[in-house]
Amino acid sequence: MEQSEASQDAAIRQATQLLLSSRYVMAMTGAGISVESGIPPFRGPGGLWTKYGEPPMNGYQRFLEDPKRAWEERLSPTGPSQILKETIVAAQPNPGHLALVDLEQMGLLRCLITQNVDNLHRRAGSQNLAEIHGNTTLIRCIQCNARFSGDEVALDILPPPCPQCGGILKVDTVAFGEPIPPDVLQKCQEESARCDCMIVVGTSATVYPAALFPMQVHERGGTLIEVNLYESELTSMCHVSLRGPSGELLPQLVKMVREW
Ligand SMILES: [Zn+2]
């Protein structure tokens, strides 16, 4: 549902007032902001899983049963994994990612939770970032949770051992059936507990536990600002809904905050 220009302008004005009158603003992003950088979503129309089928729901169990095979598949991906890898390598942060960096640098945005694994928020320059589903460019030890960049880890033995503790290394992306890494989950919980205004961008907020954070902010009396092409499960809880691409709306929001 498109908003008229006048109602969109009023919504951006209202969102600006909310941001400027809140104590601890956070944002949470989902697939929608990555789609605007050319990365296909997993679910919904045009989604990789819609086209190729859902990956096995016991992905983590399969990793644990045969980590060597999982690593071999990662190093020579096929089908949807290959498409995802190639599009992520080619993708660039879009104006929506950059607007969130602007808000952080202005001191307004305190923390960003993302459900995306594509590294685009880091590449854009976001600092206080919680990647709740991991980051596909990083490698994580499933024993001590230390994270490494791809070039820090030798791959002559598969699975590669953790340089710090000798544990098994795995891609940081959280697999189906894998617990959210405790350090990230704790950060999300601590930050959300302080938050009184959350900007929810490009997510239908149906994947748990990520969906809980905006709901908790709402339940504690905080405000939610939705930036999404479509209505979502969260829309009825939001004080302001901005309908349209985040790459257009977030820069407009930054501009109005600057000029306020
Ligand atoms: Zn380790």
Side-chain angles (χ1 to χ4, degrees), residues 23-80:
R23 281 178 297 105
Y24 204 87
V25 177
M26 289 179 68
M28 187 170 88
T29 62
I33 193 167
S34 295
V35 168
E36 292 177 40
S37 285
I39 295 173
F42 293 114
R43 297 184 169 87
L48 285 174
W49 296 344
T50 314
K51 194 170 170 190
Y52 292 94
E54 295 244 344
M57 296 306 286
N58 61 346
Y60 190 52
Q61 195 58 40
R62 284 163 57 108
F63 176 86
L64 294 178
E65 282 164 7
D66 195 346
K68 182 171 189 285
R69 187 194 58 194
W71 267 98
E72 286 166 352
E73 286 172 3
R74 172 174 165 76
L75 295 174
S76 306
T78 56

